[in-house]
Amino acid sequence: MCLDKIALVIGGCHGIGAGIVETMAKTGYTVFFSYRSRKDEAVALQDRLCSEGLSVKAMYGDFADESCINNFINGITCIDILIVSAAINHKEAFLSYSIEAFKEIMKNNLFMPFLFCQKIAKKWIDEGKKGRVIFISSIRGETPQLGRLGYCCSKASLNMMTKCAAYELASYGITVNAIAVGLTGLGMNKHLALHSDDKWREREEKIPLGRTGQGKDIGNTVVFLADEENDWITGQVITVDGGHLLKTF
């Protein structure tokens, strides 16, 4: 159990983020998590976990610009672990991919994590705190996918940002790691998993361990990286994919 530690999960009301929130709360963390357009889901998750005696709070956050991020961070008095799970996707062929769509994905999937990491790291340095930053990345940061130019590029950039930030923040005792997530039936893939049985089974057959990922698979890895006993791990992009990339290569 990790008592008296506060975790902030950006993008925690559904999908992988919700799995992280639940796993960390059950491990003993006090968990704040952000939502923007899914208030009902956020409140339902908060209420369910609180009814189990866990410490969880949903917070509205619209991170349209830097000032919004500042205001959100200032609303939490103490943060020990930052997890950035929020991301968007856009499917379009390379030759017709718009610069507007590319910019929007990079803004949400790269610039927003960068700002959260930078600003919270500055707070930790001022406070003399050795915090943890964990980015939720994707195996698509290593392997291309048709029609996913922006998403793949944003995750590849996030992986490199993880290494650069970890290198620069190591002298302050701050660790920065990322989790490259494989195929899950959550978030962006939930509709396909629920309504396209044959196509979904075909995807599952490509995974050596025989199933797609669940929220707890990612949540357990986050808990491992957040544990203060594992403070010699930094700058790593840990793949959690059931062995999927083994068949890719």
Side-chain angles (χ1 to χ4, degrees):
M1 299 289 277
C2 188
L3 302 177
D4 302 322
K5 291 284 187 178
I6 297 175
L8 171 60
V9 182
I10 303 302
C13 72
H14 72 110
I16 291 171
I20 293 170
V21 169
E22 181 164 357
T23 305
M24 296 203 79
K26 288 182 176 179
T27 306
Y29 288 92
T30 294
V31 183
F32 293 90
F33 70 94
S34 75
Y35 71 90
R36 184 172 65 87
S37 60
R38 298 172 180 263
K39 182 177 180 179
D40 290 346
E41 291 181 54
V43 172
L45 176 63
Q46 170 190 272
D47 291 350
R48 176 172 66 81
L49 295 177
C50 287
S51 71
E52 298 175 18
L54 305 176
S55 182
V56 176
K57 181 174 177 58
M59 298 179 65
Y60 173 77
D62 183 355
F63 310 127
D65 55 41
E66 189 171 353
S67 64
C68 296
I69 293 175
N70 284 333
N71 292 337
F72 186 86
I73 292 173
N74 292 336
I76 305 173
T77 56
C78 181
I79 301 167
D80 298 293
I81 300 99
L82 168 68
I83 303 103
V84 183
S85 178
I88 64 171
N89 204 341
H90 178 76
K91 187 174 183 179
E92 191 172 344
F94 175 79
L95 293 176
S96 59
Y97 210 100
S98 69
I99 189 66
E100 290 77 16
F102 196 90
K103 286 180 177 178
E104 187 67 14
I105 283 183
M106 297 303 280
K107 174 184 175 182
N108 284 273
N109 296 6
L110 183 64
F111 301 156
M112 184 266 288
F114 159 71
L115 286 170
F116 265 102
C117 180
Q118 184 189 64
K119 292 177 182 302
I120 289 180
K122 286 179 178 179
K123 285 174 63 73
W124 286 339
I125 291 168
D126 289 343
E127 297 166 359
K129 179 178 292 186
K130 299 179 179 180
R132 304 274 184 272
V133 178
I134 303 165
F135 295 123
I136 304 305
S137 187
S138 168
I139 60 172
R140 293 307 170 192
E142 297 183 51
T143 59
Q145 187 176 30
L146 292 174
R148 306 290 187 183
L149 167 71
Y151 186 79
C152 294
C153 288
S154 71
K155 293 303 185 180
S157 298
L158 183 65
N159 292 347
M160 181 51 70
M161 186 174 77
T162 297
K163 296 174 184 293
C164 291
Y167 196 5
E168 294 206 32
L169 296 174
S171 61
Y172 300 100
I174 298 170
T175 66
V176 186
N177 293 288
I179 301 171
V181 179
L183 183 64
T184 74
L186 306 168
M188 302 170 187
N189 297 319
K190 187 175 182 179
H191 181 80
L192 182 64
L194 291 175
H195 302 290
S196 302
D197 291 343
D198 292 341
K199 191 171 184 178
W200 195 251
R201 277 196 296 271
E202 182 181 333
R203 288 190 172 191
E204 286 183 321
E205 289 171 359
K206 295 179 180 179
I207 301 174
L209 286 181
R211 67 172 177 85
T212 54
Q214 303 171 12
K216 67 180 179 64
D217 297 315
I218 316 307
N220 288 335
T221 310
V222 169
V223 168
F224 171 79
L225 290 172
D227 194 306
E228 60 187 17
E229 295 296 321
N230 299 320
D231 62 354
W232 211 49
I233 301 172
T234 195
Q236 302 304 303
V237 180
I238 298 176
T239 300
V240 181
D241 69 346
H244 196 170
L245 285 184
L246 298 175
K247 294 190 71 173
T248 300
F249 293 113

